[in-house]
Amino acid sequence: MTSIRTRLLAVLVVLGGSLVTAGVPPATAATAATPPGSLRATPPGSLWFDGAPLTVRGGRFTDGQGREIVLRGYNVSGEAKLAENGGLPFASVADARESAIALRALGGGNAVRFLLSWARAEPVRGQVDTTYLAAATEQMRAFLDAGIRVYPDFHQDLYSRHLFGPDSWYTGDGAPKWAVGAGSYPKESCGICLFWGQNITQNAAVREAQYDFWHDSYGIQDAFLDTAQATMAYLKQHLDAGEFAGITGFDPYNEPYAGTYDPGQTSRTWERELLWPFYEKFRARMDAAGWQDKPAFVEPNLFWNANISTQKQEGGLLDAGTLGPGYVLSTHFYDQKAISGILMWGKAADGQYAADFAAVRDRASAAGTAAVASEFGHPLSGTVADKAPTVLKAVYQALDSRLSGASWWDRPAGSGPVLSGTQWQWDLYSGRHHELMNDDPGKVRTAGDAWNDEDLSAVRLDDSGHAALRQDARLLDRLYPSATAGTTLAFTYEDRSRDGSTTLTWNPVPATLPNVAKLVGAGRYGLLVWRSGDGTAPTELHLPASFPPAATTVVSDLGTVHGPPAHTFAAPVGVAPEPGGTGSRRLLLTDADSGAVHFALVTDGATAPPADLLAAARTELAGWAAARFP
């Protein structure tokens, strides 16, 4: 009965638009800016359905209105791996604010994986540095205030910077100096290594230190868990209720690897015997710190989904049972074949990573939880940088759908859930660092990411000191369903991003839909199909900055319009600001039913399309949707 009444209210709201403040149902107009339980107003631009904490339900992220949520954004940032700003992502809160605004307005992101340093949080054993935590919290707040959801990550690579000396070829980050000093590790050496990641399996010092962490030698793992709990408790105490609602969870440990397996142990049994018990301990620490309703973003063995057969190891937390709402499957994906420069000679193509991300979807589904690709990326300089435009397009395509563009229109019901993901990385200081590698004043690193010769940041500061994209905005600032009121059935986005002067079109509208093809023309388009739910909040799609409302066309069974108006519940199709006051926009689609199939095509390809073309395109899409989603 409650559900029926809710749907009737939605119908009355739509019919009685003159009684409604724009975007706000009458019953909630007085409290639109302050959701129940919040101690502060939500970020500028918020509507009554914004600001709710996320939960995991039915294998998807959901908000307080029961909508499916997709998180898209970036890692902020690899600067936290450096010493120049004390293990913080930014030199100042002002830089954090500039970065957050740019990430939202230029990069289209609604979420970040926010890097933290264990070495900085606990520089002395048993003593948490609250000065560091206070600075990190203020920088985190800059993103929350911009309407960006945050999940912190205690980051590590090659275990610790302190395993490496001034004469080392590489460096690391993660564990504090005292943790390294507790063990008797050999002088680090990777031998003949072409890539820094080879240290993970070839450097004895790194392997032994990792082994000690997982076996809690010298009480190191327990000390880490103590610091993690103290960090989470600090954040809970120092963020107000509205800000804390924007924290989506916590990533306990970046890219876990055994270091060395015990006799008879395999990658799978290591996950069962050591990695999963660690995550259960971390989950208990989250609960103790007041994070009971937020999931742990748990990563399997680093190599569980490697795309080089000689690197791949069995894993994926296969023996952990049903993970449920307390955990999210977090995984990384880098095309190591493409990065090698040897194992993949050409460029990525349509459907290149469909199977890789289908495996992620399937594993999350079997585990009964949501999935997030918490890292993916490709070098933007060096010998393989020419592959970046196609590699990244193929990754985003695979996040949007498990199908290739060539097969999407024929069998869209196999599209699968739209995956959340955070690209590596978003670093304002790209190419402008001043990092003393391993504290050696003779090795000042300024280029790229200033860390092991990496260069993956999607952003930089231009000569005027403002944030500027280093990659094609058509690739990064994407149309995507940030909130679906019901269940997503299929989604695709043809971004028409560029590889040099070549426009990449991997999902053209088929000739069987001639009016849709004419409407889209050479422009970009996205198509969402969903089944409506029981709530009253609308479906939302992020509108790229290059999709100004006046030049945007929407063809939906809910309504067809060129130049959608400002959102009100009197109109089923409308545009509104995204929370945060950054100037970013969203398309809002309001249905008034439950269990019905809806579709919405969004394109920038049409200039003043005639009404008969819009009507013909709608008829074609309605027939296509009815045939494929009976």
Side-chain angles (χ1 to χ4, degrees):
M1 183 62 73
T2 301
S3 175
I4 294 173
R5 287 175 178 170
T6 300
R7 306 309 299 178
L8 287 173
L9 173 62
V11 173
L12 290 173
V13 167
V14 171
L15 293 176
S18 61
L19 301 177
V20 179
T21 302
V24 183
T28 60
T31 57
T34 308
S38 177
L39 300 179
R40 70 171 177 110
T42 51
S46 297
L47 298 175
W48 67 272
F49 41 81
D50 295 323
L54 299 189
T55 56
V56 177
R57 187 175 66 184
R60 315 285 175 98
F61 289 109
T62 60
D63 68 3
Q65 313 301 321
R67 300 181 300 174
E68 291 183 358
I69 301 297
V70 172
L71 304 174
R72 289 287 176 88
Y74 305 83
N75 281 259
V76 176
S77 74
E79 171 70 23
K81 296 158 62 167
L82 306 180
E84 62 182 359
N85 285 326
L88 292 166
F90 303 98
S92 66
V93 175
D95 282 0
R97 290 196 186 102
E98 164 122 8
S99 185
I101 292 169
L103 188 145
R104 191 75 147 142
L106 301 179
N110 67 358
V112 295
R113 181 177 184 239
F114 191 97
L115 273 60
L116 297 172
S117 167
W118 176 22
R120 299 292 178 169
E122 190 186 8
V124 177
R125 183 164 192 163
Q127 297 181 23
V128 175
D129 186 347
T130 56
T131 300
Y132 172 77
L133 295 184
T137 302
E138 288 303 309
Q139 293 187 8
M140 202 177 293
R141 181 175 282 118
F143 288 83
L144 296 167
D145 288 346
I148 296 170
R149 297 186 185 271
V150 173
Y151 63 103
D153 156 49
F154 263 125
H155 207 79
Q156 73 80 35
D157 287 292
L158 308 186
Y159 189 69
S160 174
R161 172 191 192 91
H162 301 288
L163 285 173
F164 299 84
D167 60 341
S168 296
W169 290 10
Y170 301 99
T171 190
D173 72 291
K177 186 175 183 178
W178 62 260
V180 172
S184 299
Y185 303 120
K187 181 177 175 59
E188 69 79 22
S189 175
C190 192
I192 301 175
C193 289
L194 300 178
F195 306 100
W196 71 260
Q198 291 175 266
N199 283 272
I200 298 170
T201 56
Q202 293 180 214
N203 193 320
V206 174
R207 293 200 318 268
E208 291 180 22
Q210 290 274 34
Y211 178 93
D212 281 349
F213 179 86
W214 297 115
H215 289 79
D216 196 24
S217 301
Y218 321 109
I220 291 173
Q221 187 182 115
D222 284 342
F224 171 80
L225 291 169
D226 288 343
T227 298
Q229 180 177 336
T231 299
M232 289 185 284
Y234 186 95
L235 290 170
K236 177 72 162 60
Q237 180 181 358
H238 290 85
L239 295 172
D240 68 35
E243 292 164 342
F244 191 60
I247 302 292
T248 61
F250 207 109
D251 187 335
Y253 197 92
N254 180 68
E255 297 182 352
Y257 179 65
T260 300
Y261 293 119
D262 287 318
Q265 193 175 57
T266 66
S267 55
R268 179 168 179 170
T269 60
W270 174 79
E271 282 193 349
R272 182 177 69 235
E273 296 165 359
L274 291 171
L275 182 60
W276 182 246
F278 166 75
Y279 287 146
E280 290 182 309
K281 293 175 186 176
F282 196 95
R283 173 71 264 172
R285 299 303 186 104
M286 292 179 72
D287 296 345
W291 292 50
Q292 297 93 330
D293 298 329
K294 300 182 186 296
F297 286 59
V298 294
E299 301 181 32
N301 178 335
L302 166 62
F303 298 109
W304 85 280
N305 62 337
N307 75 332
I308 297 177
S309 60
T310 55
Q311 289 184 342
K312 193 166 186 176
Q313 299 183 10
E314 186 180 25
L317 304 176
L318 296 171
D319 300 307
T322 301
L323 300 187
Y327 301 91
V328 166
L329 181 71
S330 174
T331 188
H332 296 179
F333 181 80
Y334 293 92
D335 185 347
Q336 296 295 346
K337 291 181 180 179
I339 292 172
S340 73
I342 299 172
L343 300 176
M344 177 181 138
W345 286 101
K347 307 289 185 73
D350 176 30
Q352 185 88 17
Y353 307 123
D356 296 289
F357 283 88
V360 174
R361 287 179 172 88
D362 291 344
R363 181 66 204 113
S365 177
T369 191
V372 58
S374 49
E375 278 190 32
F376 57 91
H378 190 83
L380 300 183
S381 62
T383 58
V384 299
D386 65 308
K387 302 178 190 295
T390 57
V391 166
L392 267 296
K393 180 179 173 74
V395 170
Y396 276 112
Q397 180 193 52
L399 290 173
D400 288 344
S401 169
R402 66 189 295 153
L403 301 174
S404 67
S407 60
W408 192 89
W409 283 94
D410 288 336
R411 49 189 186 94
S415 194
V418 180
L419 290 180
S420 295
T422 47
Q423 182 176 331
W424 186 274
Q425 64 160 327
W426 191 268
D427 176 16
L428 281 185
Y429 312 116
S430 173
R432 295 172 178 263
H433 292 282
H434 188 84
E435 173 71 4
L436 277 60
M437 182 177 176
N438 298 321
D439 303 317
D440 184 351
K443 294 181 180 178
V444 179
R445 299 293 185 254
T446 60
D449 302 342
W451 196 85
N452 287 340
D453 296 324
E454 287 200 334
D455 183 14
L456 285 88
S457 178
V459 71
R460 63 178 178 87
L461 291 175
D462 63 21
D463 292 340
S464 64
H466 297 297
L469 294 180
R470 300 179 64 221
Q471 295 175 269
D472 189 347
R474 288 163 291 222
L475 171 71
L476 298 181
D477 189 12
R478 307 177 62 77
L479 188 83
Y480 62 90
S482 53
T484 301
T487 303
T488 302
L489 300 177
F491 176 70
T492 190
Y493 179 51
E494 178 49 76
D495 58 38
R496 313 268 194 188
S497 56
R498 308 294 200 266
D499 179 11
S501 60
T502 301
T503 299
L504 301 172
T505 301
W506 292 353
N507 192 355
V509 179
T512 52
L513 301 171
N515 290 291
V516 176
K518 183 178 180 181
L519 181 70
V520 170
R524 294 166 292 175
Y525 78 88
L527 178 54
L528 174 68
V529 184
W530 75 100
R531 190 179 302 279
S532 58
D534 292 333
T536 56
T539 289
E540 303 181 24
L541 291 100
H542 168 73
L543 277 182
S546 54
F547 272 63
T552 297
T553 301
V554 181
V555 178
S556 172
D557 64 296
L558 299 175
T560 299
V561 60
H562 176 71
H567 166 68
T568 71
F569 276 87
V573 180
V575 174
E578 287 178 317
T582 63
S584 58
R585 296 180 296 268
R586 51 186 161 170
L587 178 72
L588 301 180
L589 305 165
T590 306
D591 62 66
D593 51 31
S594 179
V597 173
H598 298 286
F599 64 85
L601 174 84
V602 185
T603 181
D604 69 345
T607 302
D612 59 345
L613 178 59
L614 293 175
R618 179 173 175 172
T619 299
E620 285 181 353
L621 285 172
W624 170 85
R628 286 160 179 80
F629 300 94

